[in-house]
Amino acid sequence: MNALLAANAAAAVAAIAFALVGGARPAALSESGTPSAGERFYGWMYATRGVPLGVAALVAPLAWSGPASSLILSAAAAAQVGDAAIGIATRKRTMIAGASLLTVVHAATAVATA
């Protein structure tokens, strides 16, 4: 269980880091030269969703177990499924792989803490 909690913590920290990068430097994730106003807008939208959800996924299994923790981790896993789907649509292999891995880690932790 400790290894799973550590993996979940690492996954949550990674999600937070990518959300912060998406907000601060959207071109780093979109691989465009100069971000458009739309990229900056959506980068901040991603950050405002990703940071709080990542913090919740980090803290919830460490603070308590049970349905509340499982629900938060399931929401984090669902968000990662969405990110993987965006990766598939845009053919970004690293986004597909990263989001898929985080989905598995969050979902496994949700089951273990239920």
Side-chain angles (χ1 to χ4, degrees):
M1 180 68 164
N2 286 340
L4 186 57
L5 289 175
N8 185 74
V13 168
I16 293 166
F18 276 98
L20 290 171
V21 169
R25 297 191 54 224
L29 299 182
S30 68
E31 300 172 3
S32 64
T34 303
S36 67
E39 282 179 298
R40 287 189 300 276
F41 173 77
Y42 283 104
W44 281 111
M45 284 184 55
Y46 173 58
T48 59
R49 179 222 14 129
V51 171
L53 191 54
V55 169
L58 173 66
V59 172
L62 301 175
W64 66 90
S65 62
S69 178
S70 184
L71 178 64
I72 291 168
L73 290 165
S74 295
Q80 292 300 331
V81 167
D83 288 348
I86 293 168
I88 291 168
T90 58
R91 296 188 176 124
K92 294 192 185 298
R93 291 182 182 172
T94 55
M95 186 174 184
I96 298 165
S100 297
L101 176 62
L102 271 61
T103 297
V104 170
V105 171
H106 289 322
T109 308
V111 170
T113 61

